[in-house]
Amino acid sequence: MKRYRYPSIPESEVTPPELFESRRRVLRGGLLLGAAAVAPGLLWPRNVTAWQGELQRQLDAGLPTVDLAGGEAPTSFRDITTYNNFYELGTGKRDPEIYAHQIVTDPWSLTIDGEVDKAGTFALEDILKHQDLEERIYRLRCVEAWSKVVPWTGFPLAELLKRHEPTSRARYVVFESIHDPDRLRGQRRSVLDWPYREVLRIDEAMHPLTLMAVGLYGESLPNQSGAPIRLVVPWKYGFKSIKSVVRITLVEERPLSSWEERNPEEYGFYANVNPEVDHPRWSQARERRIGESGRRETLMFNGYAEEVAHLYSDLDLQRHY
Ligand code: MTE
């Protein structure tokens, strides 16, 4: 497997989050004055699509691509975006595409809080301005035994977390998705205890393969794929890769994730892809690649064992699934 490049951020490039905030306030203030003087509503649309502008600027400049799917061709854009799990929009595989418009992604901000020295709520465009994006091709293996190869656009979560300076008490990272039951049809049913919540150990969150994705196939993420920003943890079952993230909280004690809370026997905390540990209701030894006929062998840690097996060397993987 090709090695990935993990860019380190020089201290000089790290802008304290409070600077992002003050700059945003200035921008907003200027815009409001302008809008009042010219025509309200004419200028607002530019403001509300600010993160898309920032993303497009980086996409236009061209991004480095890192193939971490062993040279395998990515699944088609159509298959990636029409066969989805996004229970906020319904439990059918086509529901996320059909009801994608129910997710309002502009404006979008991300709260980073808990055990960090630099907590706050940050506009997505300000976060993107300080992140170099790259394209990474990863396998995605769902716990339901289907899989895809996806060319994500994103940045390592570690870079974002480091900017916010985790304290020595930060042992777990908790992620929360959008909560908007007035608009999201799936959140009016109690399939899960909304909002969708996921949890990683801090060393898993800091691993260079752990990505925050904002695009796929060189475009911004379609809503059904978790717009505008989602987590991608390629060695774990897909349910850990939480979509449409609004909050990241660093904590000392581990809370339950949504699926673990729903059914801990079926959806363990680790959820590492493991062909030798079956789901109570089906085998995990093989999988169906969307867009292909037949089944293929599932790989240990979804093919990323070389990079991540050491994280679990002291765990009995049959018990800690
Ligand atoms: N995130 C949220 N917020 N809601 C969800 O229902 N489903 C998960 C994960 N992230 C889900 C989510 C599951 S089970 C999988 S397999 C992947 O998203 C699917 O990602 P995809 O639809 O982009 O293939």
Side-chain angles (χ1 to χ4, degrees):
M1 184 182 294
K2 221 161 109 183
R3 303 300 300 182
Y4 48 81
R5 179 184 70 93
Y6 179 49
S8 60
I9 353 166
E11 276 307 305
S12 58
E13 279 180 25
V14 179
T15 308
E18 55 277 22
L19 271 187
F20 305 3
E21 269 302 85
S22 61
R23 206 149 24 76
R24 179 163 169 78
R25 275 197 297 273
V26 171
L27 279 173
R28 271 216 190 114
L31 195 65
L32 273 173
L33 283 176
V38 189
L42 272 184
L43 289 174
W44 275 113
R46 265 198 78 213
N47 186 41
V48 297
T49 57
W51 66 259
Q52 278 169 342
E54 180 51 34
L55 173 58
Q56 199 56 50
R57 189 186 63 74
Q58 291 206 42
L59 290 170
D60 290 346
L63 302 181
T65 297
V66 188
D67 171 24
L68 284 144
E72 207 185 314
T75 303
S76 72
F77 180 83
R78 194 183 153 73
D79 281 337
I80 290 175
T81 57
T82 57
Y83 190 95
N84 298 97
N85 276 339
F86 201 168
Y87 278 18
E88 286 84 338
L89 297 171
T91 52
K93 294 287 180 274
R94 291 295 303 274
D95 287 344
E97 181 213 359
I98 296 168
Y99 299 103
H101 60 277
Q102 294 185 348
I103 296 196
V104 176
T105 59
D106 277 311
W108 196 271
S109 55
L110 192 57
T111 298
I112 302 175
D113 62 0
E115 291 295 342
V116 286
D117 283 340
K118 304 219 149 108
T121 296
F122 309 96
L124 181 56
E125 57 272 25
D126 290 336
I127 291 174
L128 293 181
K129 260 177 220 153
H130 293 86
Q131 289 296 159
D132 285 338
L133 300 178
E134 57 187 294
E135 182 174 66
R136 291 205 188 177
I137 308 173
Y138 281 163
R139 299 176 206 91
L140 176 85
R141 168 62 155 82
C142 178
V143 72
E144 298 164 332
W146 55 263
S147 60
K148 301 168 168 173
V149 176
V150 187
W152 302 109
T153 295
F155 57 88
L157 173 62
E159 291 184 8
L160 180 67
L161 295 182
K162 280 181 202 156
R163 275 182 220 287
H164 294 273
E165 301 182 11
T167 72
S168 57
R169 285 182 301 277
R171 294 175 58 224
Y172 295 94
V173 183
V174 186
F175 303 83
E176 209 176 276
S177 285
I178 182 173
H179 191 222
D180 190 1
D182 288 344
R183 290 199 184 87
L184 306 178
R185 62 194 289 275
Q187 283 186 334
R188 294 196 287 271
R189 296 177 51 206
S190 48
V191 192
L192 290 173
D193 181 20
W194 308 110
Y196 197 106
R197 185 176 60 254
E198 257 312 331
V199 187
L200 295 176
R201 271 188 350 207
I202 187 94
D203 59 338
E204 297 176 323
M206 289 294 195
H207 191 282
L209 284 180
T210 303
L211 200 70
M212 292 308 293
V214 290
L216 62 83
Y217 266 108
E219 293 177 17
S220 60
L221 280 181
N223 285 3
Q224 63 266 37
S225 301
I229 183 161
R230 73 176 291 175
L231 179 71
V232 182
V233 193
W235 70 94
K236 291 180 180 282
Y237 291 122
F239 68 85
K240 300 294 284 189
S241 292
I242 182 172
K243 297 179 171 183
S244 304
V245 176
V246 295
R247 184 178 202 140
I248 300 179
T249 309
L250 286 79
V251 296
E252 197 168 359
E253 301 295 330
R254 178 168 81 81
L256 294 180
S257 66
S258 296
W259 281 107
E260 201 187 359
E261 187 172 42
R262 184 87 203 162
N263 192 339
E265 299 301 312
E266 301 199 355
Y267 310 103
F269 163 68
Y270 282 100
N272 290 321
V273 176
N274 188 339
E276 286 159 24
V277 177
D278 288 340
H279 185 278
R281 291 182 282 136
W282 58 82
S283 161
Q284 292 292 27
R286 296 167 77 76
E287 66 197 56
R288 180 173 60 91
R289 192 73 105 228
I290 304 302
E292 273 181 16
S293 55
R295 293 181 151 251
R296 48 167 80 206
E297 308 266 303
T298 286
L299 306 172
M300 188 65 202
F301 293 111
N302 203 23
Y304 301 102
E306 199 190 314
E307 287 88 353
V308 301
H310 68 274
L311 298 176
Y312 311 103
S313 52
D314 59 344
L315 284 187
D316 173 358
L317 297 178
Q318 293 285 333
R319 268 193 337 115
H320 297 277
Y321 53 85

